[in-house]
Amino acid sequence: PQGNPLSGADHGANPYAASHVPFESRTNARVTFLPGVCLIVVTVTTSLFLALALMVGLTAVFQQKMSEEDLLGIGFLAVTLALQILILWGGINMVRRRGYALALAGAIAAVLPFSLCWCLQLPFGVWALVVLAAPGTRAIFATTDR
C-alpha cells in the first residue's frame, strides 16, 4: 500500500479540527453578549411594569363596567407584553449566540414603539441591530447553531 489508506476516506467531522470561522469572528464572538444582556435587563424591567399595569387595569375593569376603551387598553398591554417576551427571547439568543433569526426579530421588536418604556429599549435595540448586522456576526451564530 502506498501512502495513508485512510486519507481519502470520510470518517465524519474531526472533533479536534480548528473552527472554520475566521479568527476575527472568533475573537469578536463576545460582541453579542453585552447588547443581549442589556436587552434582557431592560425587557425584564419593562415587563414587570407592564404586568403591574395589566393587573391594575384588569382589576379596574372587573370592579366597574367594561367599556370599549378599557378593553382596547388591556389588549394593547397584552400585545405589548407578548412583544416583550419576543425581545427577551431575542436577548437570550444573543447572549447564547444561537438562533440568529430570533435574535434579529427581538432586536427589531425592541425598536418598535409598542412599549410603555420604549425610550429605554430604543438605544439597546438599535445597538443590537448594529451588532447583528455586522459582517462576521452571522458566522458566529452559524457555528453555535445545531
Side-chain angles (χ1 to χ4, degrees), residues 22-111:
F23 180 72
E24 297 83 21
S25 294
R26 284 185 275 147
T27 57
N28 291 333
R30 291 183 220 111
V31 78
T32 61
F33 182 78
L34 195 55
V37 167
C38 290
L39 275 180
I40 291 169
V41 169
V42 170
T43 302
V44 166
T45 306
T46 303
S47 297
L48 290 175
F49 286 125
L50 281 171
L52 181 65
L54 191 60
M55 287 190 314
V56 168
L58 285 174
T59 304
V61 164
F62 287 126
Q63 287 178 353
Q64 301 170 0
K65 187 177 179 182
M66 290 184 175
S67 68
E68 288 184 22
E69 292 86 17
D70 294 335
L71 291 176
L72 286 175
I74 290 174
F76 175 75
L77 288 176
V79 168
T80 303
L81 197 56
L83 281 175
Q84 296 302 313
I85 293 170
L86 176 65
I87 296 168
L88 178 66
W89 196 250
I92 291 170
N93 280 350
M94 282 188 74
V95 169
R96 294 176 62 211
R97 289 183 296 279
R98 294 181 189 257
Y100 179 81
L102 197 54
L104 188 61
I108 290 170
V111 174

